[in-house]
Amino acid sequence: MNDLPRFEGGRTALIASAAAGAGGLLLTAVGFAFDPQRAMLSYLIAFLYFLGLALGALALNMANYAARARWHVAIRRAMETVHASLPAFAILFVPIVLAARHLYVWVEPPASLGKEVLESIEHKGAYLSVGWFLVRAAIYFAVWLVLSELLYRWSLAQDLDGAARWTRKSRRWSAGGLPFLAFSLTFAAFDWLMSLTPTWFSTIFGLYFFAGSFVASIGLLILIVTWTREVPDSFGSRAGVAHFHSLGKLLLAFTAFWAYMAFSQYMLIWVANLPEEVPWFLVRTRGAWKPVGVLLVVGHFILPFFALLSRDLKQNPAGLAVVAGWILFMHAIDLLWLVMPAAQLYALGRHWQPESLNLHWTLITAFCGVGGVAAAFSLWRARGRYAIPIGDPYLEDSLRYVQP
């Protein structure tokens, strides 16, 4: 493998992604000028979608290191390239900070919210303050960037000298860093998603967000490996049927895990039937949002779960890629279902039956903008480096990997 050329492809994709990113962000800014709240809600959905993919790839990479896994080495650089985009999200987070008052009602709560809601927000004022919001965000990004950059840079360094010490360091940091990644991701979900409705809370909400992001990141990895499988010396060029089978089993397992988290959250709130918790689900299961909730049950769990039970499908890269693409689409619907009704909840009073989905055209431009920037940044970092970790001592084991 020492004669493997460095990855110099993706130039056209990089330019196209950068152009889409710049154009999408510019159009989203135009939309913000006319409808600040809905434009920022669209931007938040896109930001969390692509950030979740990067963090999911980081979590998968760290979990494999911590478990001393070898099977994934041949496709590991694809994971690393996805989470190498994390520095870009630190910059993309700036608009959320600057326009926080258009997203989070607790920043400048209007008197129209009513006495009970205002008292609840005031009671949480020590936590829900702009200053502490920024401090916590800085901590989250610090944790993510340290873990991601160390693993990525150590992996690149191993390409040059093939030293086993880089693998040992990566394993130690992954095992020790996974709890920090888990806690930071959980509290980020509380701050950036759950606080859209500051009167509502769920202790497993962080796990729900992580589960959706993680299964989507596995889907993205499957697509990358499938698309590049026939490209010489690219990310998926050394992937075999056994690698796809393992990715398919992970996709099946975490599709079930997402459904378990979603059901657990719903069941516990339904059983408790507390007035401060129930409205969050009522606005999402009545009126215009009811069909979306049904779509999530069927499309995010039932269909992919039963499709992925097939061993033949999991060993078929093309078929598995179709399921992976569908799950990525459903993850976007899931985030839409989480975010957009938050802007409708307090305006509905006790009616809780929204007549429209409250969508805005900036949803498309925001996805193009954030996704384009993230993809361009990842491709920029990947170019000029090996698409396969040629220095890893377990690469040969991964290349010979077969299902037990």
Side-chain angles (χ1 to χ4, degrees):
M1 299 293 290
N2 292 331
D3 58 344
L4 188 76
R6 294 175 183 267
F7 176 70
E8 297 294 347
R11 183 175 181 272
T12 302
L14 191 157
I15 295 173
S17 298
L25 292 179
L26 179 61
L27 289 174
T28 304
V30 172
F32 176 82
F34 292 95
D35 194 337
Q37 185 189 48
R38 289 201 293 172
M40 283 310 302
L41 288 170
S42 298
Y43 184 84
L44 180 66
I45 293 171
F47 177 84
L48 291 173
Y49 181 87
F50 290 104
L51 175 66
L53 294 179
L55 292 175
L58 176 60
L60 181 59
N61 194 19
M62 293 176 67
N64 279 311
Y65 269 125
R68 297 175 177 263
R70 303 181 183 185
W71 71 271
H72 74 294
V73 174
I75 58 173
R76 193 185 70 214
R77 192 54 50 83
M79 301 179 206
E80 294 170 344
T81 301
V82 174
H83 70 69
S85 66
L86 280 169
F89 288 98
I91 300 173
L92 291 170
F93 185 69
V94 173
I96 294 175
V97 174
L98 297 178
R101 65 188 181 91
H102 296 292
L103 283 171
Y104 303 105
V105 70
W106 51 264
V107 176
E108 295 177 359
S112 60
L113 290 178
K115 182 180 178 180
E116 291 183 0
V117 175
L118 290 173
E119 287 180 352
S120 178
I121 294 175
E122 183 180 0
H123 179 70
K124 300 176 181 179
Y127 187 87
L128 293 180
S129 64
V130 175
W132 281 113
F133 180 84
L134 293 176
V135 169
R136 292 193 301 272
I139 294 172
Y140 306 151
F141 278 109
V143 171
W144 302 337
L145 291 176
V146 167
L147 292 172
S148 176
E149 288 299 302
L150 286 178
L151 294 183
Y152 186 55
R153 292 171 186 268
W154 288 342
S155 181
L156 294 178
Q158 194 173 51
D159 289 344
L160 302 178
D161 61 14
R165 70 178 185 278
W166 301 118
T167 299
R168 291 195 296 269
K169 293 175 73 171
S170 296
R171 285 175 172 177
R172 287 197 297 268
W173 273 81
S174 294
L178 276 172
F180 291 95
L181 177 63
F183 279 112
S184 59
L185 182 55
T186 296
F187 279 91
F190 290 166
D191 285 359
W192 304 343
L193 260 178
M194 196 166 73
S195 75
L196 289 167
T197 311
T199 55
W200 180 80
F201 51 88
S202 168
T203 55
I204 63 173
F205 186 81
L207 273 175
Y208 177 83
F209 173 69
F210 165 76
S213 297
F214 192 73
V215 72
S217 69
I218 297 171
L220 177 62
L221 179 60
I222 290 171
L223 290 182
I224 293 173
V225 175
T226 302
W227 288 339
T228 60
R229 193 182 184 202
E230 303 301 326
V231 180
D233 305 318
S234 191
F235 301 103
S237 60
R238 298 297 191 276
V241 172
H243 294 98
F244 284 98
H245 194 186
S246 290
L247 289 171
K249 288 190 291 185
L250 284 172
L251 197 64
L252 171 63
F254 282 93
T255 294
F257 181 67
W258 174 86
Y260 175 70
M261 288 294 103
F263 174 75
S264 297
Q265 181 171 261
Y266 180 83
M267 181 267 294
L268 291 171
I269 290 176
W270 178 79
V271 169
N273 199 27
L274 299 176
E276 65 267 29
E277 295 180 357
V278 172
W280 191 89
F281 272 108
L282 290 180
V283 76
R284 289 167 172 82
T285 55
R286 293 184 177 184
W289 286 102
K290 183 176 180 179
V292 180
V294 174
L295 175 62
L296 284 173
V297 174
V298 176
H300 205 316
F301 172 59
I302 295 177
L303 292 180
F305 177 80
F306 284 101
L308 289 167
L309 289 177
S310 168
R311 180 184 179 92
D312 292 337
L313 176 68
K314 293 194 288 288
Q315 294 181 339
N316 180 351
L320 189 60
V322 171
V323 178
W326 174 255
I327 286 178
L328 281 165
F329 170 71
M330 291 310 305
H331 181 51
I333 300 298
D334 185 26
L335 283 174
L336 194 72
W337 186 78
L338 289 175
V339 172
M340 296 305 292
Q344 300 171 301
L345 179 60
Y346 297 119
L348 291 171
R350 295 189 178 276
H351 182 52
W352 292 321
Q353 292 203 37
E355 297 178 356
S356 70
L357 298 181
N358 198 36
L359 304 183
H360 196 245
W361 57 267
T362 51
L363 191 63
I364 298 174
T365 62
F367 264 80
C368 290
V370 177
V373 169
F377 192 83
S378 291
L379 287 169
W380 173 71
R381 298 197 73 178
R383 283 173 56 84
R385 297 176 171 87
Y386 295 105
I388 297 170
I390 62 171
D392 193 291
Y394 298 113
L395 177 57
E396 292 299 326
D397 290 343
S398 179
L399 294 176
R400 294 193 297 266
Y401 174 63
V402 294
Q403 287 290 319

PDB file of all heavy atoms in Angstrom, residues 343-370:
ATOM      1  N   ALA A 343     -42.107  27.203  17.332  1.00  0.00           N
ATOM      2  CA  ALA A 343     -42.500  28.596  17.091  1.00  0.00           C
ATOM      3  C   ALA A 343     -44.012  28.767  17.134  1.00  0.00           C
ATOM      4  O   ALA A 343     -44.504  29.892  17.227  1.00  0.00           O
ATOM      5  CB  ALA A 343     -41.967  29.054  15.741  1.00  0.00           C
ATOM      6  N   GLN A 344     -44.751  27.661  17.055  1.00  0.00           N
ATOM      7  CA  GLN A 344     -46.208  27.727  17.029  1.00  0.00           C
ATOM      8  C   GLN A 344     -46.836  27.474  18.397  1.00  0.00           C
ATOM      9  O   GLN A 344     -47.971  27.867  18.640  1.00  0.00           O
ATOM     10  CB  GLN A 344     -46.754  26.698  16.032  1.00  0.00           C
ATOM     11  CG  GLN A 344     -46.263  26.901  14.603  1.00  0.00           C
ATOM     12  CD  GLN A 344     -46.651  25.740  13.699  1.00  0.00           C
ATOM     13  OE1 GLN A 344     -46.272  24.610  13.956  1.00  0.00           O
ATOM     14  NE2 GLN A 344     -47.408  26.015  12.649  1.00  0.00           N
ATOM     15  N   LEU A 345     -46.112  26.806  19.280  1.00  0.00           N
ATOM     16  CA  LEU A 345     -46.695  26.314  20.527  1.00  0.00           C
ATOM     17  C   LEU A 345     -47.330  27.419  21.357  1.00  0.00           C
ATOM     18  O   LEU A 345     -48.512  27.354  21.709  1.00  0.00           O
ATOM     19  CB  LEU A 345     -45.634  25.591  21.346  1.00  0.00           C
ATOM     20  CG  LEU A 345     -46.090  25.037  22.707  1.00  0.00           C
ATOM     21  CD1 LEU A 345     -47.213  24.024  22.515  1.00  0.00           C
ATOM     22  CD2 LEU A 345     -44.926  24.387  23.436  1.00  0.00           C
ATOM     23  N   TYR A 346     -46.569  28.472  21.677  1.00  0.00           N
ATOM     24  CA  TYR A 346     -47.087  29.508  22.570  1.00  0.00           C
ATOM     25  C   TYR A 346     -48.127  30.383  21.888  1.00  0.00           C
ATOM     26  O   TYR A 346     -49.003  30.940  22.545  1.00  0.00           O
ATOM     27  CB  TYR A 346     -45.932  30.366  23.087  1.00  0.00           C
ATOM     28  CG  TYR A 346     -44.945  29.590  23.920  1.00  0.00           C
ATOM     29  CD1 TYR A 346     -43.615  29.478  23.529  1.00  0.00           C
ATOM     30  CD2 TYR A 346     -45.347  28.937  25.079  1.00  0.00           C
ATOM     31  CE1 TYR A 346     -42.704  28.745  24.280  1.00  0.00           C
ATOM     32  CE2 TYR A 346     -44.455  28.201  25.830  1.00  0.00           C
ATOM     33  CZ  TYR A 346     -43.129  28.111  25.428  1.00  0.00           C
ATOM     34  OH  TYR A 346     -42.234  27.375  26.178  1.00  0.00           O
ATOM     35  N   ALA A 347     -48.071  30.486  20.560  1.00  0.00           N
ATOM     36  CA  ALA A 347     -49.055  31.300  19.840  1.00  0.00           C
ATOM     37  C   ALA A 347     -50.411  30.610  19.744  1.00  0.00           C
ATOM     38  O   ALA A 347     -51.433  31.270  19.554  1.00  0.00           O
ATOM     39  CB  ALA A 347     -48.539  31.601  18.429  1.00  0.00           C
ATOM     40  N   LEU A 348     -50.440  29.284  19.906  1.00  0.00           N
ATOM     41  CA  LEU A 348     -51.697  28.546  19.761  1.00  0.00           C
ATOM     42  C   LEU A 348     -52.562  28.561  21.011  1.00  0.00           C
ATOM     43  O   LEU A 348     -53.720  28.179  20.972  1.00  0.00           O
ATOM     44  CB  LEU A 348     -51.398  27.086  19.380  1.00  0.00           C
ATOM     45  CG  LEU A 348     -50.832  26.854  17.975  1.00  0.00           C
ATOM     46  CD1 LEU A 348     -50.374  25.414  17.821  1.00  0.00           C
ATOM     47  CD2 LEU A 348     -51.867  27.195  16.920  1.00  0.00           C
ATOM     48  N   GLY A 349     -51.987  28.989  22.134  1.00  0.00           N
ATOM     49  CA  GLY A 349     -52.725  28.938  23.392  1.00  0.00           C
ATOM     50  C   GLY A 349     -53.022  27.510  23.775  1.00  0.00           C
ATOM     51  O   GLY A 349     -52.147  26.660  23.755  1.00  0.00           O
ATOM     52  N   ARG A 350     -54.269  27.207  24.102  1.00  0.00           N
ATOM     53  CA  ARG A 350     -54.655  25.835  24.459  1.00  0.00           C
ATOM     54  C   ARG A 350     -55.353  25.116  23.308  1.00  0.00           C
ATOM     55  O   ARG A 350     -55.987  24.083  23.503  1.00  0.00           O
ATOM     56  CB  ARG A 350     -55.552  25.843  25.708  1.00  0.00           C
ATOM     57  CG  ARG A 350     -54.814  26.352  26.941  1.00  0.00           C
ATOM     58  CD  ARG A 350     -55.635  26.150  28.209  1.00  0.00           C
ATOM     59  NE  ARG A 350     -54.900  26.598  29.376  1.00  0.00           N
ATOM     60  CZ  ARG A 350     -54.005  25.883  30.035  1.00  0.00           C
ATOM     61  NH1 ARG A 350     -53.725  24.675  29.619  1.00  0.00           N
ATOM     62  NH2 ARG A 350     -53.384  26.369  31.081  1.00  0.00           N
ATOM     63  N   HIS A 351     -55.214  25.678  22.112  1.00  0.00           N
ATOM     64  CA  HIS A 351     -55.822  25.042  20.936  1.00  0.00           C
ATOM     65  C   HIS A 351     -54.961  23.869  20.464  1.00  0.00           C
ATOM     66  O   HIS A 351     -55.458  22.767  20.213  1.00  0.00           O
ATOM     67  CB  HIS A 351     -55.972  26.081  19.828  1.00  0.00           C
ATOM     68  CG  HIS A 351     -56.616  25.561  18.594  1.00  0.00           C
ATOM     69  ND1 HIS A 351     -57.822  24.878  18.604  1.00  0.00           N
ATOM     70  CD2 HIS A 351     -56.222  25.593  17.297  1.00  0.00           C
ATOM     71  CE1 HIS A 351     -58.132  24.533  17.373  1.00  0.00           C
ATOM     72  NE2 HIS A 351     -57.184  24.954  16.563  1.00  0.00           N
ATOM     73  N   TRP A 352     -53.670  24.113  20.333  1.00  0.00           N
ATOM     74  CA  TRP A 352     -52.684  23.068  20.051  1.00  0.00           C
ATOM     75  C   TRP A 352     -52.977  22.291  18.767  1.00  0.00           C
ATOM     76  O   TRP A 352     -52.674  21.110  18.668  1.00  0.00           O
ATOM     77  CB  TRP A 352     -52.557  22.095  21.224  1.00  0.00           C
ATOM     78  CG  TRP A 352     -51.959  22.720  22.441  1.00  0.00           C
ATOM     79  CD1 TRP A 352     -50.943  23.622  22.481  1.00  0.00           C
ATOM     80  CD2 TRP A 352     -52.340  22.509  23.797  1.00  0.00           C
ATOM     81  NE1 TRP A 352     -50.664  23.989  23.764  1.00  0.00           N
ATOM     82  CE2 TRP A 352     -51.511  23.319  24.620  1.00  0.00           C
ATOM     83  CE3 TRP A 352     -53.306  21.715  24.401  1.00  0.00           C
ATOM     84  CZ2 TRP A 352     -51.611  23.365  25.985  1.00  0.00           C
ATOM     85  CZ3 TRP A 352     -53.419  21.746  25.780  1.00  0.00           C
ATOM     86  CH2 TRP A 352     -52.582  22.562  26.558  1.00  0.00           C
ATOM     87  N   GLN A 353     -53.576  22.950  17.792  1.00  0.00           N
ATOM     88  CA  GLN A 353     -53.805  22.291  16.508  1.00  0.00           C
ATOM     89  C   GLN A 353     -53.367  23.235  15.400  1.00  0.00           C
ATOM     90  O   GLN A 353     -54.189  23.940  14.818  1.00  0.00           O
ATOM     91  CB  GLN A 353     -55.275  21.898  16.336  1.00  0.00           C
ATOM     92  CG  GLN A 353     -55.730  20.807  17.280  1.00  0.00           C
ATOM     93  CD  GLN A 353     -56.945  20.059  16.745  1.00  0.00           C
ATOM     94  OE1 GLN A 353     -57.064  19.832  15.558  1.00  0.00           O
ATOM     95  NE2 GLN A 353     -57.826  19.664  17.636  1.00  0.00           N
ATOM     96  N   PRO A 354     -52.074  23.268  15.090  1.00  0.00           N
ATOM     97  CA  PRO A 354     -51.584  24.169  14.045  1.00  0.00           C
ATOM     98  C   PRO A 354     -52.219  23.848  12.701  1.00  0.00           C
ATOM     99  O   PRO A 354     -52.351  22.692  12.317  1.00  0.00           O
ATOM    100  CB  PRO A 354     -50.070  23.907  14.031  1.00  0.00           C
ATOM    101  CG  PRO A 354     -49.901  22.575  14.677  1.00  0.00           C
ATOM    102  CD  PRO A 354     -50.994  22.454  15.678  1.00  0.00           C
ATOM    103  N   GLU A 355     -52.605  24.899  11.982  1.00  0.00           N
ATOM    104  CA  GLU A 355     -53.274  24.722  10.697  1.00  0.00           C
ATOM    105  C   GLU A 355     -52.291  24.595   9.541  1.00  0.00           C
ATOM    106  O   GLU A 355     -52.665  24.185   8.446  1.00  0.00           O
ATOM    107  CB  GLU A 355     -54.228  25.895  10.452  1.00  0.00           C
ATOM    108  CG  GLU A 355     -55.348  25.978  11.486  1.00  0.00           C
ATOM    109  CD  GLU A 355     -56.258  27.168  11.244  1.00  0.00           C
ATOM    110  OE1 GLU A 355     -55.950  27.967  10.310  1.00  0.00           O
ATOM    111  OE2 GLU A 355     -57.262  27.316  11.969  1.00  0.00           O
ATOM    112  N   SER A 356     -51.030  24.966   9.772  1.00  0.00           N
ATOM    113  CA  SER A 356     -50.023  24.861   8.716  1.00  0.00           C
ATOM    114  C   SER A 356     -48.703  24.391   9.316  1.00  0.00           C
ATOM    115  O   SER A 356     -48.516  24.428  10.538  1.00  0.00           O
ATOM    116  CB  SER A 356     -49.832  26.201   8.007  1.00  0.00           C
ATOM    117  OG  SER A 356     -49.190  27.125   8.868  1.00  0.00           O
ATOM    118  N   LEU A 357     -47.788  23.977   8.442  1.00  0.00           N
ATOM    119  CA  LEU A 357     -46.478  23.518   8.905  1.00  0.00           C
ATOM    120  C   LEU A 357     -45.511  24.671   9.165  1.00  0.00           C
ATOM    121  O   LEU A 357     -44.413  24.453   9.687  1.00  0.00           O
ATOM    122  CB  LEU A 357     -45.864  22.566   7.877  1.00  0.00           C
ATOM    123  CG  LEU A 357     -46.649  21.280   7.602  1.00  0.00           C
ATOM    124  CD1 LEU A 357     -45.910  20.415   6.584  1.00  0.00           C
ATOM    125  CD2 LEU A 357     -46.886  20.499   8.888  1.00  0.00           C
ATOM    126  N   ASN A 358     -45.891  25.879   8.763  1.00  0.00           N
ATOM    127  CA  ASN A 358     -45.084  27.074   9.044  1.00  0.00           C
ATOM    128  C   ASN A 358     -43.715  27.016   8.348  1.00  0.00           C
ATOM    129  O   ASN A 358     -42.735  27.575   8.836  1.00  0.00           O
ATOM    130  CB  ASN A 358     -44.885  27.233  10.559  1.00  0.00           C
ATOM    131  CG  ASN A 358     -44.454  28.640  10.950  1.00  0.00           C
ATOM    132  OD1 ASN A 358     -44.894  29.617  10.348  1.00  0.00           O
ATOM    133  ND2 ASN A 358     -43.602  28.742  11.952  1.00  0.00           N
ATOM    134  N   LEU A 359     -43.635  26.310   7.215  1.00  0.00           N
ATOM    135  CA  LEU A 359     -42.358  26.171   6.511  1.00  0.00           C
ATOM    136  C   LEU A 359     -42.041  27.430   5.711  1.00  0.00           C
ATOM    137  O   LEU A 359     -42.917  28.226   5.392  1.00  0.00           O
ATOM    138  CB  LEU A 359     -42.385  24.959   5.595  1.00  0.00           C
ATOM    139  CG  LEU A 359     -42.726  23.613   6.246  1.00  0.00           C
ATOM    140  CD1 LEU A 359     -42.639  22.498   5.219  1.00  0.00           C
ATOM    141  CD2 LEU A 359     -41.801  23.333   7.415  1.00  0.00           C
ATOM    142  N   HIS A 360     -40.779  27.571   5.368  1.00  0.00           N
ATOM    143  CA  HIS A 360     -40.305  28.757   4.644  1.00  0.00           C
ATOM    144  C   HIS A 360     -39.309  28.317   3.581  1.00  0.00           C
ATOM    145  O   HIS A 360     -38.610  27.313   3.748  1.00  0.00           O
ATOM    146  CB  HIS A 360     -39.637  29.726   5.634  1.00  0.00           C
ATOM    147  CG  HIS A 360     -39.464  31.107   5.105  1.00  0.00           C
ATOM    148  ND1 HIS A 360     -38.227  31.670   4.878  1.00  0.00           N
ATOM    149  CD2 HIS A 360     -40.374  32.055   4.751  1.00  0.00           C
ATOM    150  CE1 HIS A 360     -38.383  32.905   4.427  1.00  0.00           C
ATOM    151  NE2 HIS A 360     -39.672  33.158   4.335  1.00  0.00           N
ATOM    152  N   TRP A 361     -39.235  29.059   2.474  1.00  0.00           N
ATOM    153  CA  TRP A 361     -38.343  28.676   1.385  1.00  0.00           C
ATOM    154  C   TRP A 361     -36.875  28.671   1.796  1.00  0.00           C
ATOM    155  O   TRP A 361     -36.040  28.026   1.153  1.00  0.00           O
ATOM    156  CB  TRP A 361     -38.544  29.577   0.176  1.00  0.00           C
ATOM    157  CG  TRP A 361     -38.344  31.054   0.430  1.00  0.00           C
ATOM    158  CD1 TRP A 361     -39.307  31.961   0.755  1.00  0.00           C
ATOM    159  CD2 TRP A 361     -37.102  31.775   0.352  1.00  0.00           C
ATOM    160  NE1 TRP A 361     -38.759  33.213   0.899  1.00  0.00           N
ATOM    161  CE2 TRP A 361     -37.402  33.133   0.657  1.00  0.00           C
ATOM    162  CE3 TRP A 361     -35.794  31.429   0.067  1.00  0.00           C
ATOM    163  CZ2 TRP A 361     -36.422  34.122   0.677  1.00  0.00           C
ATOM    164  CZ3 TRP A 361     -34.812  32.413   0.091  1.00  0.00           C
ATOM    165  CH2 TRP A 361     -35.120  33.738   0.389  1.00  0.00           C
ATOM    166  N   THR A 362     -36.536  29.356   2.874  1.00  0.00           N
ATOM    167  CA  THR A 362     -35.144  29.367   3.334  1.00  0.00           C
ATOM    168  C   THR A 362     -34.698  28.002   3.849  1.00  0.00           C
ATOM    169  O   THR A 362     -33.501  27.789   4.057  1.00  0.00           O
ATOM    170  CB  THR A 362     -34.940  30.412   4.433  1.00  0.00           C
ATOM    171  OG1 THR A 362     -35.940  30.238   5.455  1.00  0.00           O
ATOM    172  CG2 THR A 362     -35.034  31.821   3.885  1.00  0.00           C
ATOM    173  N   LEU A 363     -35.634  27.098   4.050  1.00  0.00           N
ATOM    174  CA  LEU A 363     -35.249  25.745   4.468  1.00  0.00           C
ATOM    175  C   LEU A 363     -34.355  25.109   3.405  1.00  0.00           C
ATOM    176  O   LEU A 363     -33.365  24.436   3.730  1.00  0.00           O
ATOM    177  CB  LEU A 363     -36.502  24.898   4.693  1.00  0.00           C
ATOM    178  CG  LEU A 363     -36.321  23.548   5.377  1.00  0.00           C
ATOM    179  CD1 LEU A 363     -35.792  23.713   6.788  1.00  0.00           C
ATOM    180  CD2 LEU A 363     -37.639  22.785   5.406  1.00  0.00           C
ATOM    181  N   ILE A 364     -34.677  25.333   2.131  1.00  0.00           N
ATOM    182  CA  ILE A 364     -33.874  24.786   1.039  1.00  0.00           C
ATOM    183  C   ILE A 364     -32.531  25.502   0.951  1.00  0.00           C
ATOM    184  O   ILE A 364     -31.468  24.878   0.836  1.00  0.00           O
ATOM    185  CB  ILE A 364     -34.644  24.903  -0.290  1.00  0.00           C
ATOM    186  CG1 ILE A 364     -35.931  24.079  -0.235  1.00  0.00           C
ATOM    187  CG2 ILE A 364     -33.763  24.450  -1.464  1.00  0.00           C
ATOM    188  CD1 ILE A 364     -36.819  24.244  -1.450  1.00  0.00           C
ATOM    189  N   THR A 365     -32.565  26.824   1.016  1.00  0.00           N
ATOM    190  CA  THR A 365     -31.305  27.576   0.891  1.00  0.00           C
ATOM    191  C   THR A 365     -30.385  27.327   2.075  1.00  0.00           C
ATOM    192  O   THR A 365     -29.159  27.273   1.916  1.00  0.00           O
ATOM    193  CB  THR A 365     -31.597  29.075   0.770  1.00  0.00           C
ATOM    194  OG1 THR A 365     -32.265  29.553   1.951  1.00  0.00           O
ATOM    195  CG2 THR A 365     -32.480  29.358  -0.442  1.00  0.00           C
ATOM    196  N   ALA A 366     -30.953  27.156   3.267  1.00  0.00           N
ATOM    197  CA  ALA A 366     -30.116  26.904   4.449  1.00  0.00           C
ATOM    198  C   ALA A 366     -29.431  25.549   4.345  1.00  0.00           C
ATOM    199  O   ALA A 366     -28.244  25.414   4.691  1.00  0.00           O
ATOM    200  CB  ALA A 366     -30.964  26.975   5.719  1.00  0.00           C
ATOM    201  N   PHE A 367     -30.150  24.541   3.856  1.00  0.00           N
ATOM    202  CA  PHE A 367     -29.532  23.226   3.683  1.00  0.00           C
ATOM    203  C   PHE A 367     -28.422  23.282   2.641  1.00  0.00           C
ATOM    204  O   PHE A 367     -27.358  22.682   2.824  1.00  0.00           O
ATOM    205  CB  PHE A 367     -30.590  22.190   3.287  1.00  0.00           C
ATOM    206  CG  PHE A 367     -31.117  21.401   4.448  1.00  0.00           C
ATOM    207  CD1 PHE A 367     -32.085  21.926   5.283  1.00  0.00           C
ATOM    208  CD2 PHE A 367     -30.627  20.132   4.727  1.00  0.00           C
ATOM    209  CE1 PHE A 367     -32.568  21.205   6.367  1.00  0.00           C
ATOM    210  CE2 PHE A 367     -31.103  19.401   5.801  1.00  0.00           C
ATOM    211  CZ  PHE A 367     -32.070  19.943   6.637  1.00  0.00           C
ATOM    212  N   CYS A 368     -28.678  24.001   1.560  1.00  0.00           N
ATOM    213  CA  CYS A 368     -27.624  24.159   0.542  1.00  0.00           C
ATOM    214  C   CYS A 368     -26.434  24.914   1.121  1.00  0.00           C
ATOM    215  O   CYS A 368     -25.275  24.548   0.871  1.00  0.00           O
ATOM    216  CB  CYS A 368     -28.183  24.904  -0.663  1.00  0.00           C
ATOM    217  SG  CYS A 368     -29.365  23.963  -1.636  1.00  0.00           S
ATOM    218  N   GLY A 369     -26.704  25.960   1.899  1.00  0.00           N
ATOM    219  CA  GLY A 369     -25.633  26.776   2.448  1.00  0.00           C
ATOM    220  C   GLY A 369     -24.770  26.042   3.449  1.00  0.00           C
ATOM    221  O   GLY A 369     -23.541  25.940   3.288  1.00  0.00           O
ATOM    222  N   VAL A 370     -25.397  25.496   4.479  1.00  0.00           N
ATOM    223  CA  VAL A 370     -24.635  24.815   5.521  1.00  0.00           C
ATOM    224  C   VAL A 370     -24.011  23.532   4.983  1.00  0.00           C
ATOM    225  O   VAL A 370     -22.827  23.247   5.221  1.00  0.00           O
ATOM    226  CB  VAL A 370     -25.540  24.503   6.732  1.00  0.00           C
ATOM    227  CG1 VAL A 370     -24.763  23.728   7.794  1.00  0.00           C
ATOM    228  CG2 VAL A 370     -26.087  25.792   7.337  1.00  0.00           C
TER     229      VAL A 370
END
